[in-house]
């Protein structure tokens, strides 16, 4: 079942989909009894990236929360204009969880959504049940922030949508069939260039390296080997850093043949995500460590 809601957050309406099991799945329980997963989209995109995964995860027994960040998809723009701070987006996501009465969710995000997963996972005052951060390093992302700021002054050029299309194709892994890669790239062309450039400024300035010893819950860091935006070795080192401070808290997975969008590239990604979340649920975290 899919419930669409608009929530007033920070003076604007934010759109959220809440996906719960259908009766046909055999898991149609009271949603409050289900583990909750917050799924966060990539730069410039929207919750539509999770359209297949959310439904399939719900049918595996989860309540899935899929928001559109401010100015994305069906959410109204932020009152102060496009957001360039992932910390501000993190605050907005916490407000969404508060409005829905959700405590200690699992969080799964990709790209800036992966960075936002790291942001939320390193907030001791808002502990999670677990986190899956995909395609994100803890340090600033590899973009030219000064160039992006200049680009915000001229983002309406007719070539921008084609650049997005071609850039998406270049970011998809080699194992993805051509027709599927084409569909992913066509969907990504819908982005607002002002919003996506602002998101990438956030990507290029966000840094949680000094907070990795404060991860509040088991965390799984995931990197596509074919991702041109990140260094998988840097992601693996981040997992090691967490484990040095908090033994057994983090794990790392490299995805061969996969690029920047695992949830869109991998067939039956929900099954893989279900496995990862199940592993996170089996990691015991001392109660005092999550406070």
């Amino acid at each position: 079942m899919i419930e669409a809601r608009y929530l007033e957050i920070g003076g604007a309406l934010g759109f959220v989909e809440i996906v719960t099991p259908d009766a046909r799945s055999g898991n149609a329980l009271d949603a409050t009894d289900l583990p909750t997963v917050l799924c966060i989209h990539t730069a410039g995109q929207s919750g539509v990236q999770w359209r297949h995964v959310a439904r399939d995860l719900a049918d595996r027994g989860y309540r899935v929360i899929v928001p559109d960040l401010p100015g994305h998809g069906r959410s109204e723009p932020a009152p102060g204009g496009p957001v360039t701070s992932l910390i501000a987006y993190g605050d907005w996501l916490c407000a969404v969880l508060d409005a829905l009465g959700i405590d200690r969710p699992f969080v799964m995000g990709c790209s800036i959504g992966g960075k936002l997963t790291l942001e939320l996972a390193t907030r001791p005052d808002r502990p999670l049940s677990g986190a899956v951060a995909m395609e994100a390093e803890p340090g600033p992302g590899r973009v030219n922030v000064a160039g992006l700021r200049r680009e915000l002054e001229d983002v309406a050029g007719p070539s921008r949508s084609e650049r997005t299309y071609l850039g998406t194709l270049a970011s998809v892994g080699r194992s993805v069939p051509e027709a599927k890669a084409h569909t992913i790239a066509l969907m990504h062309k819908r982005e607002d260039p002002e919003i996506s450039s602002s998101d990438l400024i956030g990507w290029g300035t966000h840094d949680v390296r000094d907070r990795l010893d404060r991860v509040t819950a088991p965390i799984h860091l995931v990197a596509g080997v074919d991702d041109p935006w990140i260094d998988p070795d840097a992601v693996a080192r981040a997992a090691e850093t967490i484990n040095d401070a908090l033994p057994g808290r983090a794990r790392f997975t490299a995805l061969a043949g996969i690029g920047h969008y695992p949830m869109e590239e991998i067939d039956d990604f929900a099954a893989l995500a279900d496995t990862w979340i199940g592993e996170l649920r089996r990691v015991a975290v001392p109660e005092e460590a999550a406070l």
Side-chain angles (χ1 to χ4, degrees):
M1 182 177 70
I2 299 177
E3 177 187 358
R5 279 201 209 177
Y6 281 99
L7 306 172
E8 186 168 347
I9 305 292
L13 293 178
F15 179 80
V16 181
E17 280 190 347
I18 304 169
V19 190
T20 51
D22 292 330
R24 61 181 170 79
S25 72
N27 288 316
L29 305 173
D30 184 336
T32 59
D33 294 330
L34 302 175
T36 298
V37 184
L38 174 69
C39 294
I40 312 173
H41 60 76
T42 71
Q45 299 300 310
S46 71
V48 73
Q49 288 183 296
W50 297 93
R51 62 194 180 280
H52 299 299
V53 176
R55 178 193 62 207
D56 293 344
L57 263 182
D59 283 346
R60 289 174 175 272
Y62 298 91
R63 175 174 55 164
V64 185
I65 309 299
V66 187
D68 291 346
L69 292 170
H72 301 70
R74 285 181 273 182
S75 287
E76 291 182 345
V83 177
T84 58
S85 165
L86 298 194
I87 294 175
Y89 275 149
D91 293 342
W92 186 89
L93 288 167
C94 287
V96 167
L97 294 172
D98 287 342
L100 295 174
I102 294 171
D103 185 41
R104 295 179 183 259
F106 291 90
V107 178
M108 180 180 298
C110 182
S111 188
I112 69 161
K115 276 187 160 290
L116 283 166
T117 300
L118 292 170
E119 172 65 31
L120 296 179
T122 54
R123 294 188 174 196
D125 59 324
R126 297 295 300 251
L128 306 178
S129 289
V132 179
M134 302 187 292
E135 315 310 322
E137 299 172 28
R142 293 173 174 80
V143 291
N144 183 334
V145 172
L148 286 165
R149 294 192 188 280
R150 287 195 301 271
E151 193 172 78
L152 284 174
E153 300 174 5
D154 181 21
V155 296
S159 65
R160 178 61 185 251
S161 64
E162 291 307 313
R163 286 167 51 199
T164 298
Y165 174 82
L166 295 171
T168 299
L169 287 182
S171 298
V172 168
R174 288 170 289 182
S175 69
V176 180
E178 182 178 351
K180 187 169 190 174
H182 174 64
T183 298
I184 294 171
L186 284 179
M187 294 294 287
H188 286 203
K189 282 177 67 174
R190 301 176 179 188
E191 70 182 27
D192 180 326
E194 185 177 17
I195 295 295
S196 57
S197 290
S198 298
D199 284 352
L200 291 175
I201 291 172
W203 166 270
T205 56
H206 186 252
D207 192 342
V208 297
R209 286 174 294 183
D210 63 346
R211 286 191 270 153
L212 291 179
D213 61 349
R214 287 184 263 168
V215 169
T216 63
I219 188 167
H220 191 157
L221 306 184
V222 178
V225 174
D226 292 351
D227 189 342
W229 287 81
I230 63 167
D231 176 6
D233 290 339
V235 179
R237 288 194 296 273
E240 292 173 359
T241 298
I242 295 169
N243 284 329
D244 286 343
L246 304 163
R249 189 70 57 90
R251 64 168 297 185
F252 167 73
T253 294
L255 299 173
I258 299 300
H260 197 61
Y261 311 102
M263 70 283 192
E264 295 181 282
E265 298 179 39
I266 297 174
D267 291 333
D268 198 11
F269 178 82
L272 183 58
D274 184 27
T275 298
W276 290 343
I277 295 170
E279 292 167 347
L280 294 174
R281 296 176 76 178
R282 290 193 288 272
V283 177
V285 177
E287 185 66 25
E288 64 273 13
L291 299 178

